[in-house]
Amino acid sequence: RVRGKVVKKGLTKKGNIKLVVQKGEDKYGFVIIKSHKADYALAEKLTEGSFVNAEGINKFQTIICTKLKELNRIDRSTQATLT
């Protein structure tokens, strides 16, 4: 599960969408398969610089996206301890 910013967007040879999501210093590559209609439609609308929440599974040396959600912004707040 990764919550971050879309750095790069492209197509694979088979027509699937490949997203590179950056969280801090780390970058994760996700592939959205055409058969996942809702996620594929959302990925088509995304632009570089959009914030997303993505979940995936490792298959064949790549991460296949299973859930994709667009975020308005990333909440960086932390829980405060009360004394």
Side-chain angles (χ1 to χ4, degrees), residues 5-12 16-22 27-32 39-40 42-54 62-63 65 67-69:
K5 186 177 185 179
V6 176
V7 179
K8 189 175 178 184
K9 179 180 169 184
L11 287 175
T12 63
N16 300 318
I17 297 176
K18 181 166 185 157
L19 294 178
V20 177
V21 180
Q22 183 173 6
K27 292 183 181 179
Y28 303 93
F30 288 92
V31 175
I32 296 95
D39 292 337
Y40 191 83
L42 176 61
E44 284 182 321
K45 295 177 189 174
L46 291 175
T47 59
E48 292 181 5
S50 302
F51 293 102
V52 294
N53 183 22
T62 187
I63 302 173
C65 186
K67 286 186 182 179
L68 186 66
K69 182 179 177 184

Side-chain angles (χ1 to χ4, degrees), residues 29-79:
F30 288 92
V31 175
I32 296 95
I33 300 175
K34 282 196 270 188
S35 62
H36 299 167
K37 302 284 186 199
D39 292 337
Y40 191 83
L42 176 61
E44 284 182 321
K45 295 177 189 174
L46 291 175
T47 59
E48 292 181 5
S50 302
F51 293 102
V52 294
N53 183 22
E55 292 183 32
I57 55 173
N58 285 328
K59 285 282 188 183
F60 309 115
Q61 299 177 348
T62 187
I63 302 173
I64 306 294
C65 186
T66 56
K67 286 186 182 179
L68 186 66
K69 182 179 177 184
E70 185 175 13
L71 304 173
N72 293 333
R73 61 184 177 87
I74 293 183
D75 186 15
R76 298 196 187 279
S77 61
T78 57
Q79 190 172 12

